Amino acid sequence: MDARQMKIKAAEAALEYVENGMRLGIGTGSTAEEFVRLLAEKVASGFKITGVPTSERTARLCLELGVPLKSLDELPELDLTIDGADELDEKLRLIKGGGGALLREKIVASASARMIVIADESKVVDVLGAFKLPIEVNPFGQVATRLAIEKVAARLGLTGDIVVRAAGDGPFMTDGGHLILDASFGRIPDAEALAAELNAIPGVVEHGLFIGMASMAVIAGPQGARKLTAS
Ligand code: 5RP
C-alpha cells in the first residue's frame, strides 16, 4: 500500500463516523483532501451534510466537488470535525499546521463536539517534536515575538532553529494574513507547558499543539486502519 492509499484508507474509515444531517468541520491537507473526495461521492448519491472548511484550499476543493458548505459564523456549533495531523502521540496530542491552516483548524475543532484525526502510521510518535512545530504569529513585531518564543522554549529546555516559513520568494501567509514560524525543537517532553507558555505571548496568534481536542484517531497502515483513543 503506498502513502496515498493509506491516506484513502484512513479517510474511508473516518467516513463511517459521519452521519446523515451532520454539521461537519472539514480539515486541510492531503489526507483531508482524500476525505473530501470520498465525502463528495457520498453527497452525490444523496447523503446530506453541511461542511465548514478549515481553509480556503479546502473550501475550493469542496466547492469544486459539490460538497455543500457554510461558514463557521453561519454554523457555529458542529457535530464532528475530521482533519489530518503532522504528528500524534498515544495520548492524542497533535502537532498540526504543516499545511499552514492551524488557526482555522483549531477554531473549527474547538467548535465541534468531536474531532477525529486521520493519518497514516508514519505520523504516530512516542514524543512530539520531530516535526517542526508551526507557530502562527502576527507580522507586526515578528522578531520580538520570535525572541519571546526562544526565551520560553529555553526555560523549558528546548532549543533549535525557529524560521519564518517561506513560499516562493516571500514569506508564507496564512488565510488570516499571518506568518508561520517553524520551530525545530526536537523532542517536546512537556507539550502542555509549552502550549501554555506560547499562548501567553501576545504576538503568537496560535500554535500547532492540539492538546485534549481529538477524541479519536484513525490510523492507516499496511494492514488496514486501526482506531486510537486517548490513553
Ligand atoms: C494543515 C494540517 C494538516 O492536517 C497536516 O499538515 C497534515 O497534512 P497531510 O495530511 O498532508 O500530511 O495541519 O495545517
Side-chain angles (χ1 to χ4, degrees):
M1 210 188 290
D2 67 19
R4 174 154 188 233
Q5 286 169 323
M6 283 202 267
K7 290 173 192 189
I8 294 172
K9 266 272 162 288
E12 265 169 5
L15 198 57
E16 289 173 21
Y17 295 89
V18 182
E19 294 166 18
N20 206 36
M22 269 189 167
R23 301 160 297 176
L24 188 66
I26 305 178
T28 297
S30 56
T31 317
E33 284 175 7
E34 298 302 348
F35 173 77
V36 171
R37 289 192 186 92
L38 295 169
L39 181 66
E41 285 172 19
K42 270 193 104 160
V43 167
S45 65
F47 192 72
K48 300 246 181 296
I49 59 101
T50 308
V52 171
T54 53
S55 63
E56 300 300 328
R57 168 178 157 188
T58 294
R60 279 194 295 276
L61 184 65
C62 288
L63 292 175
E64 197 183 297
L65 299 179
V67 174
L69 293 183
K70 286 204 168 165
S71 70
L72 189 60
D73 288 341
E74 292 169 301
L75 221 52
E77 291 182 297
L78 305 176
D79 301 297
L80 173 65
T81 286
I82 297 198
D83 200 349
D86 298 299
E87 260 187 13
L88 67 153
D89 69 11
E90 297 289 329
K91 292 200 162 136
L92 288 185
R93 291 177 292 207
L94 320 173
I95 287 184
K96 284 185 54 55
L102 66 101
L103 174 61
R104 292 191 186 184
E105 289 172 333
K106 202 176 268 192
I107 294 171
V108 169
S110 300
S112 304
R114 290 185 77 196
M115 177 191 192
I116 296 178
V117 175
I118 46 178
D120 60 72
E121 288 288 355
S122 68
K123 306 279 185 74
V124 184
V125 295
D126 289 335
V127 179
L128 294 177
F131 192 89
K132 292 175 190 168
L133 178 66
I135 304 171
E136 186 158 346
V137 301
N138 198 299
F140 179 84
Q142 54 154 310
V143 176
T145 301
R146 182 166 52 73
L147 287 175
I149 294 170
E150 280 168 2
K151 280 185 193 149
V152 302
R155 276 209 300 276
L156 294 168
L158 301 169
T159 52
D161 289 345
I162 301 176
V163 298
V164 180
R165 188 179 297 179
D169 291 338
F172 173 88
M173 298 301 287
T174 68
D175 286 342
H178 306 126
L179 302 170
I180 300 270
L181 301 180
D182 286 307
S184 301
F185 289 142
R187 291 162 67 88
I188 305 173
D190 192 346
E192 284 80 358
L194 179 60
E197 294 275 8
L198 291 174
N199 286 339
I201 299 173
V204 170
V205 179
E206 198 42 86
H207 55 79
L209 290 166
F210 284 49
I211 299 174
M213 302 191 82
S215 52
M216 194 176 96
V218 180
I219 311 292
Q223 320 300 337
R226 69 178 170 107
K227 279 189 282 181
L228 180 62
T229 45
S231 56

